[in-house]
């Protein structure tokens, strides 16, 4: 019995135009930047005069260890 080699089908990767539309890319990038800025604010800045929660140090204490890890001075 002889075997005949069958050429393998080459997979093709295609991306739909909807996946890379300019509107979708701008929207996802904008949301990502907004969430990153909010995280930066609550971890690094939220205390004292610019605090969202007033004189409360609750957010500061919740993220205290991450502030040290990220290099924010807080003592």
């Amino acid at each position: 019995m002889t075997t005949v080699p069958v050429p393998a089908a080459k997979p093709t990767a295609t991306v739909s135009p909807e996946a890379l539309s300019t509107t979708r890319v701008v929207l996802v990038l904008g949301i990502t930047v907004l969430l990153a800025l909010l995280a930066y604010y609550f971890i690094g800045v939220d205390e004292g005069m610019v605090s969202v929660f007033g004189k409360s140090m609750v957010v500061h204490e919740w993220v205290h260890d991450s502030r040290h890890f990220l290099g924010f001075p807080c003592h």
Side-chain angles (χ1 to χ4, degrees):
M1 186 190 283
T2 62
T3 58
V4 178
V6 178
K10 294 183 179 178
T12 57
T14 59
V15 178
S16 67
E18 294 85 19
L20 291 178
S21 69
T22 304
T23 306
R24 181 172 288 185
V25 170
V26 169
L27 181 65
V28 169
L29 183 61
I31 290 171
T32 303
V33 168
L34 178 67
L35 290 174
L37 288 173
L38 281 172
Y40 178 80
Y41 174 77
F42 280 112
I43 292 172
V45 182
D46 187 44
E47 62 180 68
M49 212 165 76
V50 295
S51 178
V52 171
F53 300 107
K55 299 279 184 195
S56 175
M57 296 296 283
V58 173
V59 174
H60 173 86
E61 293 302 326
W62 283 346
V63 296
H64 188 87
D65 292 335
S66 62
R67 289 174 59 90
H68 289 296
F69 179 74
L70 296 171
F72 290 100
C74 62
H75 294 268

